Amino acid sequence: MDGRGLVRSVRSVGSVGAARGLRTVRAAWRRRRADATGLPPRGAELARTPGRMREVEPGPGGGVVRFSRSELRILVAVNGAVFWGWDGAAPEPSYALAGRCPDPDPRAVLEPDTDGGWRVVAERVTVAVSRLGSVEVLTPGGVVLRRDLPPRWWEPAGGGTARWMQRSEVRADARFFGLGGRAFGPGLRDGIHRLWNTGPGHAFRSGDDPLPITMPVQLVVADAGTHLAFHDSSWDGTVTLREGSEGAGSGHDRAGTSTLRMDGGPLRCWVMVGTPARVLLAWGSLTGAPALPPAWALGHHHARWGRGGEQEVRRTVACYREHGLPLDAVHLGVDHHDAHRVFTVDRERFPKLPALADELRRDGIRLVSVVGPAVAAEDGDAVHDSGAAQKAFVRDASGEVVQGVSWPGDVVFPDFTHARVRQWWGGLYTERLEQGFAGFWHDLNEPTSFTAFGEATLPRSARHALDGRGGDHREAHNVYALCMARAAYEGLRTLVPQERPFVFSRSGWAGMQRYGGTWSGEVATGWSGLRASLALVMGLGLCGVPYSGPDVGGCDGDASAELYLRWLQLGAHLPLFRTHAGAGSKEPWEFGAEVVRHARAALVGRRRLQPYVVTLAHLARRTGAPCVRPLWWSAPEERALRDCEDAFLLGDCLLVAPVLAPGVERRTVRLPGGRWYESATGRAYDGPAQVLVDAPLDRIPVFARAGSVIPVRGEGGGLELEVWAPVRGRTGGGTVVADVGDGWEEPEIERYGVRWAGARIVVAREGKDGAGELPYPVRVRGLGSR
């Protein structure tokens, strides 16, 4: 902190409260001092490149290519993914991988290539290494999808961690997606994108960067094919992107470029090639299947922040019931804790919390508790004393426990990169379960330490176990929340083995889907925040995190009735559907009778679609495919679809076109190829096309693909099949996974086919002889359309 920063800190003391303000100033000084003494100075650096190729050592699935100043290890795994690592970097250890590295593909062989290079030929991809160290990824037909130029390292002359840079080229027509949760897109803009999980310290809106979930995961879509590239280093870094241009410079194409700069960590990369569905399947097999939320968690959640106690919760639930608004879960914010301390209850405001939880559960409503990593730094606090006895808290380079500032005041942070600490922390959820909570919402877990002018992380010099390897916060920061989610998920599996855990987190990293999902964090109230919400959900889905959603209505202001309704209509079609009240946000009935009527339509519509959302969640666990998909998902070669960011596919069957700007009552929608039915009117449209449709205040345009079979909740509460007529001469179908509860029993995957038989539409379950009746009622739609 310089002099100007100190002045800003002192000036802000009064605005945030004298006690907390002074704490944040002290915390900022401590962090600055710890890093000044605990981090080695960079000093002079020596630049290095791989040099020329010297020798090659073939091995299972690939081999090792040695250069004069480095070596490159290449491995093609049995799942089709390709790994390479420089300077002896291996796939393990890695926080991204689910267990061990996949076995090598015995059919992949390292063999000589032209111009003195070598290559590995596999079923779905070819990897070519030049004699100077560039690495090319090619399709089986020989088309180059990605070319990594020889990397460069900068090593401290006195020894220490090297920083490095990797420049890559992609095809001129390619578009970049991914990099975690971004507030724009899902297509990534040209420019610099930081890879450091950051709580922005304010409600974010479209264009804010970075946010609490960053990942070095790029999904690149081009005419020639789709590929995913993951550079497995959790250190601070940046990615500089520039889209290519066809016919640029005397008629030649200009390649798109990605320049990755990392402050440390291994230079290692995984690449997967194929269709988007095949790529995400390989990514899921590598980093782990998404955790399956319990069925109730795919309904409507309502989050409260700073509003009363038990009676206020009952009043809110009663108002939902009075107005006929479905509700499945109530989330309690930090104000239900005693003095904001984790794993405690404010007994004055919530004197009988277990009884309240039982009462709500009988009505089909679960309680969800916010949990943060910050532990009050006070002797006598039960969690602090237990953690101190376990030596669980992060320490600085001198061995002293690191202190920060959060809601309870002075706090310390568990080191979740230690297996023993994760086990201890997972056991603490016993208290939450005894209070009746059914799910857990992790907040401020970048981790966040407040300062007088925003949010900051722990000192970069803070020491972490890193599961036996040892290191500092520069490496541990981005995986801190991932390890916290693991601690909770594994602890809950032990404590309540008969139920699927429900955990979602503000922050995370590659592989976080193994333990749960995420929500937007503090998104700004406004149309920009609404657009950012959709971008974040779509981007995370392409990074393998299918379960996410925003705080409907935003967090920092008073939404207009129009904005609230449009946000609610979008949220009703996202995997995590959570409304938010507090800090200026309103309940639906506070907007008046007309808004309540339209809100009821959105909430009832979500409840009707819940069997379909449950089916998508089960399919995501098996295939890695996101529930919310960009329009190009099934047709990545359609360039017009790559740039469409105001509509999305919900699974294979539905296309949702939310309203993202004020005053819109009609909007254009770009449709992929095939026939699409507008669900509200039944009118048919043939794509690819751009159509103009009505978007009145009571609904947003939703289209069903011709031939779809969609499981829905019928008026009596049972499952029904909504079938949309296929185009004559064609067939259709769909999948149903009827969830058997919130446990671990594997439900059967039911597939249904649809076809014309003369003037009739026939629906039959695949794998059956067709003689028996269907297990669910069927409703056919689209018969009256052209």
Side-chain angles (χ1 to χ4, degrees):
M1 178 184 294
D2 56 17
R4 183 176 299 177
L6 177 60
V7 171
R8 291 173 62 194
S9 300
V10 172
R11 284 178 176 173
S12 64
V13 164
S15 65
V16 298
R20 179 172 155 192
L22 289 173
R23 287 193 186 102
T24 63
V25 173
R26 289 199 302 268
W29 272 113
R30 287 197 300 264
R31 188 172 58 255
R32 176 81 173 183
R33 186 171 60 248
D35 285 346
T37 59
L39 291 177
R42 296 288 314 178
E45 293 181 322
L46 304 175
R48 173 170 62 89
T49 58
R52 288 186 173 273
M53 187 181 295
R54 297 297 190 192
E55 60 178 349
V56 174
E57 180 182 333
V64 177
V65 183
R66 294 187 176 89
F67 297 81
S68 58
R69 293 184 291 274
S70 186
E71 70 175 33
L72 175 68
R73 178 187 307 222
I74 299 178
L75 167 72
V76 178
V78 291
N79 65 350
V82 179
F83 169 84
W84 65 77
W86 287 94
D87 283 358
E92 301 174 40
S94 169
Y95 282 105
L97 267 60
R100 301 298 305 273
C101 172
D103 292 333
D105 184 347
R107 300 168 297 175
V109 178
L110 188 61
E111 61 187 28
D113 200 2
T114 58
D115 297 326
W118 286 72
R119 66 179 184 176
V120 180
V121 180
E123 180 182 2
R124 301 170 190 164
V125 64
T126 296
V127 182
V129 182
S130 78
R131 53 194 176 86
L132 293 177
S134 65
V135 181
E136 289 184 339
V137 178
L138 302 89
T139 67
V143 179
V144 177
L145 295 178
R146 186 182 191 91
R147 182 171 183 259
D148 280 11
L149 301 178
R152 184 180 295 270
W153 295 266
W154 288 267
E155 299 170 332
T161 300
R163 58 189 180 94
W164 51 266
M165 182 268 285
Q166 175 68 73
R167 188 173 185 270
S168 306
E169 296 178 347
V170 298
R171 300 193 65 79
D173 67 286
R175 294 291 181 268
F176 294 99
F177 301 87
L179 296 185
R182 302 285 164 169
F184 45 81
L188 298 173
R189 307 295 188 257
D190 284 3
I192 300 175
H193 306 272
R194 194 174 178 200
L195 298 169
W196 186 254
N197 290 352
T198 302
H202 60 269
F204 73 88
R205 48 186 46 84
S206 183
D208 281 355
D209 188 29
L211 292 179
I213 302 177
T214 66
M215 302 179 193
V217 179
Q218 296 178 23
L219 188 72
V220 185
V221 180
D223 289 354
T226 300
H227 73 274
L228 182 148
F230 167 54
H231 287 86
D232 192 356
S233 171
S234 61
W235 286 64
D236 193 359
T238 62
V239 180
T240 304
L241 300 178
R242 188 182 73 168
E243 286 188 356
S245 178
E246 294 179 295
S250 302
H252 298 289
D253 290 349
R254 186 189 71 212
T257 61
S258 166
T259 303
L260 175 62
R261 292 180 171 87
M262 283 287 186
D263 286 349
L267 202 175
R268 55 186 180 180
C269 181
W270 285 93
V271 172
M272 284 131 268
V273 174
T275 64
R278 186 180 291 276
V279 164
L280 266 295
L281 177 63
W283 177 244
S285 70
L286 187 71
T287 60
L292 183 66
W296 62 264
L298 294 167
H300 170 223
H301 304 240
H302 184 69
R304 301 171 59 263
W305 189 272
R307 288 196 172 196
E310 285 184 14
Q311 294 309 312
E312 184 65 20
V313 173
R314 289 189 174 90
R315 185 197 67 81
T316 299
V317 172
C319 286
Y320 267 96
R321 187 180 300 115
E322 175 188 345
H323 292 96
L325 304 175
L327 182 63
D328 297 281
V330 173
H331 295 213
L332 301 185
V334 70
D335 294 289
H336 83 280
H337 292 303
D338 179 20
H340 296 162
R341 294 181 178 88
V342 68
F343 298 117
T344 63
V345 174
D346 185 334
R347 299 294 180 182
E348 291 186 5
R349 298 170 64 217
F350 293 88
K352 298 179 180 179
L353 190 53
L356 173 64
D358 287 342
E359 175 186 326
L360 295 179
R361 189 181 285 257
R362 286 193 296 271
D363 290 334
I365 299 170
R366 269 69 168 188
L367 276 184
V368 176
S369 172
V370 68
V371 175
V375 175
E378 297 179 10
D379 292 338
D381 177 86
V383 177
H384 174 268
D385 292 350
S386 173
Q390 293 276 344
K391 297 183 178 179
F393 301 122
V394 175
R395 298 175 180 268
D396 62 22
S398 66
E400 296 295 321
V401 173
V402 174
Q403 284 196 8
V405 176
S406 191
W407 291 113
D410 290 331
V411 295
V412 292
F413 296 90
D415 181 8
F416 295 116
T417 69
H418 195 302
R420 174 174 46 79
V421 175
R422 289 195 295 269
Q423 184 178 16
W424 162 73
W425 184 265
L428 296 177
Y429 288 79
T430 301
E431 183 273 341
R432 296 285 85 185
L433 295 170
E434 291 173 347
Q435 296 299 329
F437 289 106
F440 305 95
W441 148 34
H442 288 178
D443 200 359
L444 301 180
N445 57 339
E446 286 77 31
T448 290
S449 179
F450 296 152
T451 71
F453 44 90
E455 297 178 4
T457 181
L458 294 175
R460 291 176 176 245
S461 58
R463 305 299 297 172
H464 291 266
L466 291 171
D467 286 284
R469 293 182 292 111
D472 58 41
H473 197 67
R474 295 174 296 175
E475 182 177 0
H477 174 79
N478 281 340
V479 299
Y480 186 88
L482 171 75
C483 293
M484 179 184 178
R486 178 182 176 181
Y489 185 84
E490 293 178 347
L492 292 167
R493 288 209 60 174
T494 299
L495 295 170
V496 194
Q498 71 276 13
E499 294 183 8
R500 302 196 296 266
F502 176 55
V503 178
F504 69 105
S505 172
R506 177 168 110 157
S507 185
W509 201 63
M512 64 179 293
Q513 74 278 355
R514 298 192 296 266
Y515 312 116
T518 180
W519 99 109
S520 63
E522 288 71 31
V523 61
T525 300
W527 294 96
S528 178
L530 172 58
R531 291 189 293 271
S533 298
L534 176 57
L536 184 138
V537 172
M538 293 177 71
L540 284 168
L542 296 176
C543 292
V545 184
Y547 185 78
S548 66
D551 271 339
V552 169
C555 297
D556 68 337
D558 189 357
S560 67
E562 181 188 13
L563 172 62
Y564 183 83
L565 275 177
R566 294 310 194 187
W567 214 323
L568 193 71
Q569 290 160 354
L570 168 64
H573 294 90
L574 300 179
L576 173 59
F577 179 27
R578 184 173 105 149
T579 50
H580 181 273
S585 303
K586 293 181 178 179
E587 314 279 8
W589 46 88
E590 296 181 77
F591 291 97
E594 182 183 13
V595 171
V596 168
R597 185 170 67 255
H598 298 333
R600 185 183 305 115
L603 293 170
V604 170
R606 170 53 176 250
R607 177 147 291 188
R608 179 176 175 275
L609 274 180
Q610 193 163 345
Y612 181 55
V613 179
V614 168
T615 293
L616 294 180
H618 278 276
L619 295 179
R621 185 172 69 86
R622 289 166 169 83
T623 68
C627 304
V628 172
R629 307 167 185 176
L631 295 189
W632 50 259
W633 177 258
S634 298
E637 69 282 357
E638 293 289 338
R639 297 191 182 186
L641 298 179
R642 295 181 204 160
D643 297 324
C644 184
E645 299 179 343
D646 62 352
F648 60 90
L649 299 174
L650 183 59
D652 287 331
C653 300
L654 297 179
L655 187 156
V656 182
V659 173
L660 305 175
V664 174
E665 293 187 355
R666 300 195 80 197
R667 63 152 293 176
T668 58
V669 180
R670 185 172 293 279
L671 299 176
R675 177 163 295 178
W676 296 87
Y677 297 96
E678 189 180 7
S679 62
T681 65
R683 182 178 176 183
Y685 299 87
D686 290 324
Q690 187 166 287
V691 299
L692 181 64
V693 296
D694 291 333
L697 192 60
D698 63 341
R699 60 179 172 84
I700 57 175
V702 177
F703 296 81
R705 191 190 300 271
S708 294
V709 177
I710 305 173
V712 298
R713 190 193 302 266
E715 292 184 1
L719 195 149
E720 295 181 359
L721 301 182
E722 183 174 86
V723 177
W724 289 87
V727 177
R728 284 194 175 272
R730 299 184 182 179
T731 60
T735 302
V736 177
V737 182
D739 198 283
V740 293
D742 297 335
W744 296 97
E745 183 179 348
E746 282 288 342
E748 184 179 4
I749 298 179
E750 306 170 17
R751 293 182 173 86
Y752 293 86
V754 184
R755 60 182 174 84
W756 283 96
R760 297 186 309 119
I761 286 182
V762 176
V763 181
R765 183 173 174 183
E766 296 180 3
K768 302 293 183 180
D769 58 13
E773 293 186 359
L774 294 174
Y776 314 111
V778 176
R779 180 188 178 199
V780 179
R781 300 189 62 187
L783 290 174
S785 302
R786 61 177 175 83

